[in-house]
Amino acid sequence: FFFSCFPETHGISFRIQISVKELLDTDVLLKLLFHLPVNYPSTLPDISVNSDQLTRAQCMDVKDKLLEQAKKHLSEPMVHDLILWVQQHLKDVIKQSAAVCNEKTTLSKGTEDGIWMLLLHLDHMRAKAKYVKTVEKWTSNLRLTGRLMFMGKIILILLQGDRSSIKEYLILQKTSKVDVDSSGKKCKEKMMSVLCEIEVQSQHKRFQMFEIKEYSTLEELQKEFETAGLTTLFSEFVPLLLK
């Protein structure tokens, strides 16, 4: 069990990591992010769910079920109850999600070439030029395509490539000294979040190269996603970063 809390101007965010016994007695590590708005608990918290052992669809299902539970506890403190609920009911949520997932897999078998997509959010880049050059070098070496996107304070990295290359990129991003801290010393990336890691579907367009792009408006950024057939990905993850 891991817990951290960081104050924000518009409320408080809690990052909680819990281990849950799942099917076949394997442990599932759930990373939950609760953003409590200023008028919480009269207003529902924003919840984000991540886990390396679950698919993106399963994480979304867990999030939806948690929000359903949250509505039952409106106007009373609920984070503790929600954590207890997910520890007790994760198995049931995964079973339901797996049934739906199996149907989809059967339909799409044989049509995919095993290309995966990764969407990362970075909190900041202090040594921007050096950081960008490093990301370009990694993507080139791993033959990954996509975009490094800047829009206001939002920094996103969207990558496509072999799943093994995507995994290797994540390791590099987490373990290399890519930036500098406030005193100018080289430091590892500690403020990165994996928003999404999924297999590229037929409706997604493949990026031909890796490019660095700056957008002056949210509409421009949205258009980039829409052009790539990623409208759903944009609407699921990007608006939450503006809150």
Side-chain angles (χ1 to χ4, degrees):
F1 181 95
F2 168 78
F3 169 84
S4 68
C5 164
F6 38 101
E8 294 182 352
T9 48
H10 304 296
I12 286 181
S13 289
F14 294 91
R15 188 173 282 129
I16 296 165
Q17 215 163 277
I18 53 171
S19 186
V20 185
K21 276 267 183 251
E22 217 276 298
L23 304 169
L24 306 174
D25 289 328
T26 55
D27 282 353
V28 172
L29 192 65
L30 272 189
K31 296 164 193 165
L32 307 172
L33 180 65
F34 292 91
H35 174 72
L36 311 184
V38 178
N39 49 355
Y40 167 87
S42 304
T43 306
L44 290 177
D46 280 326
I47 304 172
S48 163
V49 179
N50 277 298
S51 174
D52 292 339
Q53 288 93 357
L54 302 181
T55 64
R56 184 180 69 96
Q58 287 171 329
C59 286
M60 290 302 290
D61 285 342
V62 173
K63 174 187 164 177
D64 291 343
K65 296 290 182 193
L66 279 171
L67 284 172
E68 275 177 32
Q69 290 303 310
K71 284 172 188 167
K72 297 176 185 176
H73 294 281
L74 202 57
S75 298
E76 57 186 75
M78 64 185 80
V79 173
H80 183 250
D81 290 318
L82 294 178
I83 293 164
L84 289 178
W85 186 89
V86 81
Q87 285 177 311
Q88 290 163 5
H89 295 91
L90 181 67
K91 204 176 279 192
D92 303 327
V93 178
I94 302 306
K95 274 183 186 170
Q96 285 175 7
S97 189
V100 176
C101 191
N102 286 339
E103 284 175 27
K104 287 182 181 170
T105 308
T106 310
L107 290 172
S108 64
K109 247 181 198 160
T111 60
E112 305 301 341
D113 56 0
I115 298 298
W116 280 68
M117 181 160 53
L118 178 71
L119 181 61
L120 300 174
H121 173 240
L122 303 181
D123 187 71
H124 61 270
M125 284 183 182
R126 281 201 177 92
K128 187 176 173 181
K130 176 185 173 290
Y131 204 130
V132 168
K133 202 171 274 188
T134 304
V135 170
E136 282 185 301
K137 186 177 83 175
W138 289 342
T139 53
S140 171
N141 291 347
L142 294 167
R143 294 200 294 278
L144 295 171
T145 61
R147 300 281 184 269
L148 169 52
M149 302 180 276
F150 296 92
M151 200 288 292
K153 289 186 176 178
I154 292 177
I155 308 168
L156 296 170
I157 301 177
L158 180 60
L159 298 173
Q160 292 177 346
D162 293 337
R163 192 170 193 191
S164 57
S165 298
I166 293 274
K167 294 283 184 198
E168 203 171 323
Y169 179 91
L170 265 177
I171 292 166
L172 286 168
Q173 183 85 50
K174 288 174 182 172
T175 58
S176 308
K177 290 186 176 179
V178 285
D179 207 0
V180 296
D181 62 18
S182 53
S183 60
K185 288 181 183 170
K186 289 182 180 179
C187 66
K188 293 177 185 176
E189 178 57 74
K190 293 186 179 122
M191 300 288 283
M192 176 192 81
S193 47
V194 178
L195 299 179
C196 172
E197 190 180 344
I198 55 167
E199 192 166 5
V200 170
Q201 305 298 313
S202 53
Q203 72 269 25
H204 303 149
K205 293 194 173 56
R206 292 286 305 279
F207 292 111
Q208 297 307 306
M209 60 185 76
F210 183 77
E211 294 179 85
I212 290 92
K213 287 198 166 188
E214 304 229 4
Y215 309 86
S216 52
T217 64
L218 189 64
E219 286 71 28
E220 280 180 22
L221 182 62
Q222 186 169 355
K223 201 166 183 188
E224 181 77 75
F225 277 80
E226 285 171 356
T227 306
L230 302 171
T231 308
T232 309
L233 195 69
F234 178 88
S235 59
E236 268 181 29
F237 296 104
V238 180
L240 288 173
L241 303 174
L242 297 167
K243 291 187 177 180

